[in-house]
Amino acid sequence: MKDISVNPTNAAIVNTIIALARNLKLVVIAEGVENEDDLKILQEFNCDTVQGYLFSRPVEAIEVPEIFDRFACNRIANT
């Protein structure tokens, strides 16, 4: 996902992909979330989970469990 907060065509494509995944009962993970505007749009589209520089830089594998613990609450769907 790229530029969904500034490019309506890209936003429409992402929204369609999320809707398709939902209809197929799949969990949706958006990669490349780099700013709050994109996050808000993904929340409006009911995306399940996000990842990207907005939350963390790339890390070594040994750091992953701590990050999972720290960001477990970053699921953006209303559960």
Side-chain angles (χ1 to χ4, degrees), residues 6-67:
V6 295
N7 186 321
T9 301
N10 288 359
I13 292 168
V14 169
N15 192 21
T16 301
I17 291 169
I18 291 171
L20 174 64
R22 289 236 169 266
N23 286 327
L24 295 171
K25 308 289 190 240
L26 299 173
V27 174
V28 180
I29 302 172
E31 297 181 359
V33 179
E34 298 182 0
N35 61 64
E36 293 287 338
D37 292 335
D38 289 345
L39 177 61
K40 286 180 183 178
I41 291 170
L42 290 166
Q43 288 171 319
E44 291 171 10
F45 293 166
N46 296 313
C47 184
D48 294 307
T49 305
V50 297
Q51 67 180 45
Y53 281 109
L54 180 61
F55 300 101
S56 176
R57 62 175 173 61
V59 297
E60 298 292 327
I62 197 159
E63 298 175 63
V64 172
E66 178 203 338
I67 290 175

